Amino acid sequence: MSFSVGIVGLPNAGKSTLFKSLTKKPIDIASYPFTTISPNVGIVTIPDERLEKISEVVSPDKTTPTVVEFVDIAGLIKGAHKGEGLGNQFLAQIRECDAILNAVRAFRADLVEHTEKTVDPERDIEIIKIELIMKDMETAEKVSRGLEKDSKSKDKEIIKKLNLLKKINQGLGEGKKITEISLSEEEMFGIKEFQFLTSKPMIHVFNISDENPYPIKPGSLTVNLKYEEEISDLSEPEKKELGTESHLDQIILACYNALELITFYTASGKKEARAWTLKKGSTCPQAGSKIHSDFEKKFIRADVIHWDQLIKAGNWAKAKELGWLKTVGKDYIVVDGNVIEFKI
Ligand SMILES: Nc1nc2c(ncn2[C@@H]2O[C@H](COP(=O)(O)OP(=O)(O)O)[C@@H](O)[C@H]2O)c(=O)[nH]1
Ligand SMILES: [Mg+2]
């Protein structure tokens, strides 16, 4: 299963321009089991120098990077939570995503209309935030009403859930996103099933222009999306010749980090070197389940080496000979950069 990022933002912020640039690179779809194929869903490979280096030393028949799914979500405008614009339709699409990428307009262009008339990134961020919060409040209230109706008996678990929802609703009412409300790990787990929009990690990308740029807070992720689209057809050597580089990789990696994902690799055979995506803190059997659903149950042990050690050894057999492989059991927590051979 892959992770998905929903691109939101006000009309003409540059969502579709970003989506088009990101999804231009062709990828071998057959390697990934996907559920959704539609024009506004695209698969993007994660840039990974480590995999390239592993592939160089192992020289497998095939090298397969990990991917993230991007969804171009149209229709977010002021009042969307009440059904304005495409309203509820787009909100349902965001619910399906693991993270939200907010494209924020920071370019001035008289010919490109702005629904709020002026360029003001902070205001636009606030508009999007309020829409998501309002939708979450509606969800919290709806769920609470349902629970109250169903619970004729005074079920302890239900009372607990209702209190939690009350806490959530209060925080939302104060203008806080769920990620800004202080919740225990148990409470976060308790609300998972409701897929609240503001409980998802959110990344802001400021779409700037190179001339007359709008001033942006230092440290923000800024990119000229129109320019990105223009250069997205060029090859790497062509870009080099022009003295330009793409900033799309930064955006992709920011999403990957916001999702708290790590990468592990399989490269013990000659057939394939492959990168896999895993939630930080996962155990070795959970990593195995990414490869095959059976692996988690059938897991016995695994041989693990850190990627740079494998590079140093040159290949799997040599690493084994040198005694650099570590045998681990089912409690082993996978570390970013591990290369794993599962024993089932
Ligand atoms: N000048 C300028 N125009 C842009 C930029 N990014 C997008 N646009 C233009 O703004 C319009 C809307 O962009 P689009 O990506 O379709 O916005 P969306 O509504 O958020 O999907 C298009 O005509 C784009 O060419 C930019 O960085 N600078
Ligand atoms: Mg669009």
Side-chain angles (χ1 to χ4, degrees), residues 284 302-306 324-328 332 338-341:
C284 217
D303 284 343
V304 177
I305 187 170
H306 205 59
W324 290 359
L325 301 181
K326 192 169 106 184
T327 299
V328 300
Y332 178 74
N338 276 167
V339 189
I340 308 178
E341 185 178 65

Side-chain angles (χ1 to χ4, degrees), residues 6-292:
I7 306 174
V8 305
L10 292 181
N12 289 345
K15 299 180 291 295
S16 299
T17 309
L18 172 60
F19 179 80
K20 271 182 267 172
S21 315
L22 284 171
T23 53
K24 219 160 218 173
K25 234 195 268 171
I27 83 152
D28 172 18
I29 296 274
S31 296
Y32 309 96
F34 296 115
T35 46
T36 35
I37 296 291
S38 76
N40 69 333
V41 179
I43 313 299
V44 177
T45 56
I46 305 296
D48 188 342
E49 279 180 9
R50 298 184 299 193
L51 178 64
E52 284 169 30
K53 288 190 179 141
I54 291 172
S55 185
E56 268 168 37
V57 301
V58 178
S59 39
D61 298 341
K62 190 174 162 199
T63 300
T64 313
T66 102
V67 294
V68 169
E69 206 175 78
F70 279 90
V71 189
D72 183 5
I73 299 172
L76 222 178
I77 53 170
K78 209 187 243 177
H81 72 278
K82 290 183 292 194
E84 295 286 337
L86 293 172
N88 289 320
Q89 196 183 319
F90 91 80
L91 288 160
Q93 282 186 315
I94 303 176
R95 211 177 287 293
E96 301 297 319
C97 293
D98 300 300
I100 300 174
L101 192 163
N102 185 17
V104 187
R105 174 161 172 181
F107 65 90
R108 303 184 231 239
D110 295 339
L111 291 174
V112 182
E113 196 199 339
H114 195 308
T115 47
E116 302 300 315
K117 305 297 177 225
T118 53
V119 173
D120 184 344
E122 291 306 323
R123 174 206 57 207
D124 293 355
I125 287 176
E126 199 59 25
I127 291 176
I128 299 287
K129 178 177 168 179
I130 288 169
E131 286 309 317
L132 300 181
I133 286 178
M134 298 295 273
K135 191 66 193 177
D136 277 349
M137 286 181 82
E138 192 187 298
T139 305
E141 280 157 19
K142 206 156 101 193
V143 174
S144 299
R145 277 199 304 275
L147 284 175
E148 276 163 4
K149 215 162 77 194
D150 288 346
S151 65
K152 300 211 175 63
S153 64
K154 289 263 178 277
D155 186 323
K156 251 199 202 138
E157 280 305 308
I158 290 188
I159 290 171
K160 208 164 135 192
K161 201 140 259 192
L162 280 169
N163 283 334
L164 176 56
L165 285 164
K166 205 185 262 174
K167 180 173 171 181
I168 297 282
N169 219 6
Q170 190 181 344
L172 290 168
E174 291 164 7
K176 288 185 191 146
K177 295 194 278 191
I178 290 177
T179 47
E180 294 166 341
I181 301 172
S182 99
L183 295 173
S184 68
E185 222 164 278
E186 191 195 344
E187 286 174 323
M188 277 309 272
F189 188 77
I191 59 164
K192 228 173 165 176
E193 59 181 299
F194 308 123
Q195 292 180 296
F196 285 118
L197 307 177
T198 67
S199 70
K200 297 174 194 291
M202 191 162 177
I203 306 110
H204 301 293
V205 172
F206 294 86
N207 183 9
I208 54 163
S209 48
D210 294 328
E211 304 103 46
N212 189 16
Y214 192 97
I216 302 295
K217 255 200 305 231
S220 309
L221 201 53
T222 57
V223 61
N224 182 337
L225 292 178
K226 200 168 171 203
Y227 186 67
E228 288 293 340
E229 197 194 8
E230 282 163 15
I231 64 169
S232 60
D233 282 326
L234 303 179
S235 66
E236 287 307 319
E238 282 172 326
K239 276 181 218 163
K240 227 181 210 152
E241 202 168 299
L242 271 176
T244 189
E245 60 174 342
S246 165
H247 292 89
L248 293 178
D249 283 0
Q250 276 175 21
I251 297 179
I252 300 168
L253 291 175
C255 295
Y256 204 68
N257 291 335
L259 283 163
E260 301 196 317
L261 300 177
I262 59 167
T263 307
F264 74 91
Y265 304 91
T266 46
S268 56
K270 271 273 174 202
K271 246 164 83 189
E272 187 183 33
R274 182 160 184 161
W276 303 87
T277 293
L278 190 64
K279 205 82 189 162
K280 207 189 236 168
S282 299
T283 61
C284 217
Q286 285 169 335
S289 74
K290 297 281 159 187
I291 297 165
H292 197 286

Side-chain angles (χ1 to χ4, degrees), residues 329-340:
K330 63 178 174 14
D331 296 331
Y332 178 74
I333 304 291
V334 177
V335 176
D336 184 47
N338 276 167
V339 189
I340 308 178

